[in-house]
Amino acid sequence: MESMGKKKRPRRSFTPEFKAEIVELCQRGDRSIGQVAKDFDLTETAVRDWVRQAEVDTGRRDGLTSSEREELAALRRENRRLREDVDVLKRATAFFA
């Protein structure tokens, strides 16, 4: 049953420099995104996402920049931690009351 579908590729991580190089190759225009992805053994979806994010970061497309995404993630983590702290304090107040 498992051999019928495509094998799942293990998750890989890439440096920002590598991503920037791939985006530059795509934006030059001599090769399509699909061809660049195939040449470097990457998924076309990942390369398209990198190109889209680079366009947002340079202001050529609307959306959250990379730094805004990082800030949003940090604020969400802090918000979750603070909510947990408030919940603990509520329980402690109820216990000692």
Side-chain angles (χ1 to χ4, degrees):
M1 186 98 166
E2 193 175 314
S3 63
M4 291 176 64
K6 289 185 177 181
K7 288 185 179 179
K8 195 162 187 168
R9 179 185 291 218
R11 188 164 191 85
R12 301 182 292 173
S13 61
F14 302 97
T15 64
E17 294 80 16
F18 178 77
K19 290 178 183 181
E21 185 178 327
I22 296 298
V23 167
E24 183 182 332
L25 286 172
C26 293
Q27 290 177 339
R28 264 195 229 148
D30 24 329
R31 293 189 287 187
S32 69
I33 289 176
Q35 186 60 46
V36 171
K38 186 184 285 187
D39 291 347
F40 287 89
D41 189 32
L42 301 166
T43 63
E44 192 171 336
T45 305
V47 176
R48 284 189 192 284
D49 288 345
W50 297 347
V51 170
R52 188 176 303 115
Q53 188 62 50
E55 290 173 351
V56 169
D57 289 346
T58 58
R60 290 189 283 165
R61 183 183 280 232
D62 288 337
L64 292 177
T65 64
S66 297
S67 60
E68 290 171 334
R69 284 183 185 279
E70 290 172 12
E71 182 182 9
L72 181 60
L75 290 171
R76 285 180 173 163
R77 278 191 303 273
E78 182 181 7
N79 194 357
R80 183 174 45 244
R81 186 185 56 78
L82 291 172
R83 287 178 189 270
E84 291 170 358
D85 290 350
V86 167
D87 189 44
V88 167
L89 290 173
K90 282 182 182 178
R91 283 192 233 143
T93 303
F95 178 78
F96 289 114

